[in-house]
């Protein structure tokens, strides 16, 4: 009976079928699912339609025989759920929770149901999703899934299937490091920092000229910080009109236009090539603010001294 294969995308679970009153143990993936196991739908009547939908999914994946669809969460159905969970490396509890149903259904772009809501909540808790929890698998949700898949080291396809849910079960979100104090202690410290910056700039320019592999252009040593499109008061639209919420992985930097003209292509050490497409109230002089996809990435970056090469 057990046969693990590439899951078919099944659309049985609409928003209506998964609305209020749906008795499967919908718990966040980070929780310990246990409620459904105590009921088992022993009466086989009140929730018959929902159990049939579950059984149809299990038949699609060849964990149940066609004749087993009866609307009753019996021992055969529980065993099929348990075997699927084992094969998919999910939490093995025999409970049809959100991770099991999501893995069976294989959520993808344009899906709209409560399973997508739970997926969004888990991606948000890991720092990959900053949109609203609306149950709509749109571009932001797809990008969040791809970002998670990339960091988890699994196939990047934007589909939330068995491999993605399995990775979520064992994923630990990175802990942010506190940012370094941003303001110098006094005016003398400011002057010393400026002198150090000028010396580092001259050294960086010399190194750039002598190293054939370095990007060609004017290189400046700058103090770098990081930000996201979802900070408090942020609209996600840059000073040059780039929608960072629509493209959360875009390499965009905020600069002082007096130092780096807006629209310039730059190469930032440790960040890569980017567009100088934004400004900021605190970004003055030799300072640069790097756009990051998630808040955790921005916090982890902290404050660093980097070489910035103006490419055009």
């Amino acid at each position: 009976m057990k046969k693990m294969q590439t899951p078919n995308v099944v659309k049985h679970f609409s928003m209506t079928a998964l609305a209020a009153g749906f008795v499967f143990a919908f718990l966040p993936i980070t929780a310990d699912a246990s409620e459904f196991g105590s009921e088992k739908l022993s009466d086989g009547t009140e929730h018959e339609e929902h159990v049939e939908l579950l059984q149809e999914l299990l038949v699609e994946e060849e964990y149940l025989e066609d004749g087993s669809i009866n609307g009753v969460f019996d021992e055969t159905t529980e065993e099929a759920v348990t075997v699927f969970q084992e094969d998919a490396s999910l939490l093995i509890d025999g409970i049809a929770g959100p991770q099991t149903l999501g893995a069976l259904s294989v959520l993808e772009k344009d899906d709209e149901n409560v399973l997508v809501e739970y997926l969004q909540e888990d991606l948000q808790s890991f720092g990959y999703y900053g949109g609203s929890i609306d149950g709509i698998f749109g571009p932001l949700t797809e990008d969040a899934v791809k970002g998670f898949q990339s960091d988890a080291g699994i196939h990047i396809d934007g589909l939330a299937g068995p491999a993605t849910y399995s990775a979520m079960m064992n994923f630990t979100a990175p802990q942010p490091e506190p940012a370094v104090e941003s303001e110098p202690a006094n005016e003398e410290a400011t002057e010393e920092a400026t002198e150090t910056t000028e010396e580092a700039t001259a050294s960086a320019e010399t190194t750039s000229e002598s190293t054939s592999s370095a990007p060609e252009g004017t290189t400046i040593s700058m103090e770098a910080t990081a930000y996201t499109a979802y900070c408090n008061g942020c609209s996600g639209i840059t000073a040059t009109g780039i929608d960072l919420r629509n493209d959360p992985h875009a390499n965009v930097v905020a600069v002082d236009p007096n130092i780096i003209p807006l629209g310039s292509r730059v190469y930032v050490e440790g960040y890569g090539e980017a567009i100088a497409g934004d400004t900021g109230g605190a970004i003055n002089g030799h300072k640069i603010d790097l756009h990051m996809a998630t808040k955790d990435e921005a916090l982890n970056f902290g404050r660093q001294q980097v070489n910035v090469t103006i490419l055009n």
Side-chain angles (χ1 to χ4, degrees):
M1 179 176 65
K2 178 175 68 174
K3 180 182 178 182
M4 193 59 182
Q5 58 185 27
T6 303
N8 297 319
V9 179
V10 182
K11 303 302 178 187
H12 294 300
F13 287 90
S14 64
M15 180 62 80
T16 302
L18 293 174
F22 192 68
V23 298
F24 292 155
F26 283 145
L27 302 173
I29 290 176
T30 53
D32 178 17
S34 60
E35 295 177 4
F36 189 61
S38 64
E39 296 182 13
K40 303 301 182 188
L41 292 182
S42 57
D43 60 355
T45 55
E46 182 179 0
H47 309 298
E48 178 177 346
E49 178 184 355
H50 305 312
V51 178
E52 284 182 0
L53 293 174
L54 168 65
Q55 290 170 334
E56 287 175 10
L57 289 173
L58 291 167
V59 168
E60 288 281 346
E61 299 308 317
E62 300 187 23
Y63 286 87
L64 276 180
E65 301 294 336
D66 288 335
S68 301
I69 300 177
N70 57 14
V72 179
F73 196 95
D74 49 22
E75 292 183 3
T76 301
T77 303
E78 182 179 5
E79 180 183 358
V81 170
T82 301
V83 173
F84 172 76
Q85 290 170 333
E86 181 179 3
D87 286 350
S89 299
L90 301 173
L91 176 66
I92 303 172
D93 56 10
I95 297 169
Q99 69 273 33
T100 300
L101 289 170
L104 275 168
S105 300
V106 186
L107 302 176
E108 65 175 357
K109 190 175 180 181
D110 296 329
D111 282 349
E112 296 186 27
N113 56 53
V114 73
L115 293 178
V116 177
E117 290 186 23
Y118 283 98
L119 173 65
Q120 290 170 332
E121 288 177 358
D122 285 304
L123 289 169
Q124 187 179 77
S125 71
F126 292 139
Y128 290 90
Y129 180 70
S132 59
I133 307 299
D134 55 11
I136 301 173
F137 201 124
L140 287 181
T141 303
E142 184 179 39
D143 286 340
V145 171
K146 288 181 177 179
F148 171 80
Q149 291 171 332
S150 176
D151 288 348
I154 60 177
H155 180 59
I156 304 172
D157 57 9
L159 304 178
T164 299
Y165 280 97
S166 174
M168 283 184 176
M169 294 296 300
N170 303 301
F171 186 76
T172 301
Q175 296 299 314
E177 297 179 1
V180 180
E181 181 64 33
S182 60
E183 296 296 330
N186 50 48
E187 292 183 2
E188 292 182 1
T190 302
E191 292 176 358
E192 292 176 1
T194 301
E195 292 174 0
T196 301
T197 298
E198 291 174 351
E199 293 173 359
T201 299
S203 175
E205 290 175 350
T206 301
T207 301
S208 177
E209 292 173 359
S210 61
T211 305
S212 60
S213 61
E216 295 183 0
T218 302
T219 299
I220 307 172
S221 181
M222 306 187 78
E223 182 184 54
T225 52
Y227 72 103
T228 75
Y230 294 95
C231 58
N232 291 334
C234 295
S235 67
I237 307 297
T238 71
T240 58
I242 301 171
D243 187 351
L244 295 176
R245 295 188 180 182
N246 188 50
D247 188 4
H249 297 285
N251 276 17
V252 176
V253 295
V255 297
D256 182 344
N258 294 318
I259 305 299
I260 300 177
L262 286 174
S264 300
R265 290 189 308 114
V266 298
Y267 182 88
V268 183
E269 177 185 14
Y271 182 71
E273 188 170 329
I275 294 296
D278 207 356
T279 59
I283 309 304
N284 300 307
H286 288 177
K287 292 184 179 180
I288 192 168
D289 211 11
L290 315 181
H291 169 251
M292 299 288 182
T294 67
K295 181 180 179 181
D296 284 344
E297 289 179 86
L299 291 173
N300 283 333
F301 183 86
R303 190 179 302 274
Q304 303 179 28
Q305 198 72 23
V306 300
N307 289 331
V308 178
T309 302
I310 304 173
L311 302 177
N312 65 354

